[in-house]
Amino acid sequence: MNKPVFFRRPFKYSYSHITLIIAVINLVIYALCYFTPEFGKYIYNYGALNASRVEYRRMYWQFFTYMFVHHDFFHVFFNMFGLLMFGIPLEKCIGSKEFSLFYAVCGILSGLFSFLVYKFTGQYRVFLLGASGAVYAVLFAYAVVYPKSTVFIWGIVPVPAPILVIIYALIEVASQMLGRGANVAHLTHLFGFLAAILYFEIRMGIHPVKIWKNAYGK
């Protein structure tokens, strides 16, 4: 039997509550920023992703740290709510090591794709912050791993997970085109979906659309 190429070698399964740890880290960082404004300014200036600082000051760590910087309580709350809701069952299925790699890679790629857009459109004053790109990737992965799962919007309206991904994608595209929510990184959300697709295709050899077609017999 041929061994899989190195980037497709599976990790030995383990479960160590990485999703919960990531959520706690985000909440602690937000609390420290909120209660110590000077620390908050430092984190914002050096942790949030800014195209100018990455390009000219070589702050490459911002591709990772921006995921842990949030603007306000609702920003961090809804991101962590989504992360826990979809991340815990995803982590239990694929294992903590795979989940950690997935989360980090998709978050970094979302930041990198956003950086390229900011750079080539001259948006050097924009500061990208928040875990939304990675969380959208987690939502996408959840819909691939559990294609027949039903998500209840507002706890009432049942929507199949793959359909929810499509709805969110359409909302983000429409919001970006119409210029709604100027302070929301709609493209980064879409890049989260794109990063997840690339991860499944390259790392796992899985075609998400085929998974959804097979799940619904089409």
Side-chain angles (χ1 to χ4, degrees):
M1 181 180 294
N2 295 328
K3 292 183 179 180
V5 290
F6 73 95
F7 55 80
R8 283 190 179 170
R9 291 176 184 170
F11 294 112
K12 183 178 180 181
Y13 182 86
S14 64
Y15 181 68
S16 50
H17 304 282
I18 293 298
T19 305
L20 181 59
I21 292 172
I22 293 173
V24 169
I25 291 173
N26 275 276
L27 291 171
V28 168
I29 290 175
Y30 173 75
L32 289 173
C33 291
Y34 181 82
F35 289 109
T36 54
E38 289 301 320
F39 178 76
K41 290 180 182 179
Y42 178 85
I43 290 295
Y44 182 85
N45 287 325
Y46 289 92
L49 178 59
N50 175 262
S52 176
R53 296 185 179 186
V54 169
E55 183 174 0
Y56 299 111
R57 298 175 64 178
R58 300 182 181 179
M59 295 183 179
Y60 302 124
W61 62 81
Q62 291 183 350
F63 288 120
F64 178 76
T65 57
Y66 86 95
M67 294 185 283
F68 298 90
V69 184
H70 289 84
H71 180 259
D72 55 32
F73 174 76
F74 290 105
H75 189 201
V76 69
F77 173 80
F78 285 112
N79 273 343
M80 294 307 101
F81 178 80
L83 174 61
L84 293 172
M85 180 176 179
F86 300 109
I88 290 177
L90 176 62
E91 182 187 352
K92 287 182 178 179
C93 179
I94 66 177
S96 297
K97 293 179 182 178
E98 192 70 52
F99 178 83
S100 299
L101 181 63
F102 174 83
Y103 189 86
V105 168
C106 290
I108 290 171
L109 284 179
S110 299
L112 176 60
F113 295 150
S114 300
F115 162 77
L116 293 174
V117 171
Y118 297 151
K119 171 181 169 60
F120 291 109
T121 57
Q123 299 182 64
Y124 286 104
R125 294 186 178 181
V126 174
F127 281 80
L128 177 66
L129 63 163
S132 301
V135 172
Y136 269 63
V138 169
L139 166 60
F140 187 95
Y142 174 87
V144 174
V145 172
Y146 302 100
K148 290 191 175 182
S149 175
T150 298
V151 179
F152 287 85
I153 300 178
W154 301 306
I156 302 174
V157 183
V159 179
I163 300 300
L164 183 63
V165 169
I166 294 172
I167 291 173
Y168 268 104
L170 292 175
I171 290 174
E172 296 302 325
V173 170
S175 298
Q176 179 66 31
M177 293 180 64
L178 297 175
R180 294 179 178 176
N183 293 325
V184 179
H186 300 295
L187 280 179
T188 304
H189 298 168
L190 293 172
F191 289 148
F193 286 157
L194 175 60
I197 293 172
L198 293 175
Y199 190 95
F200 275 107
E201 294 276 1
I202 298 172
R203 163 69 178 168
M204 297 181 168
I206 294 175
H207 307 286
V209 175
K210 289 184 179 179
I211 294 292
W212 294 340
K213 285 183 178 180
N214 292 335
Y216 290 92
K218 295 182 180 180

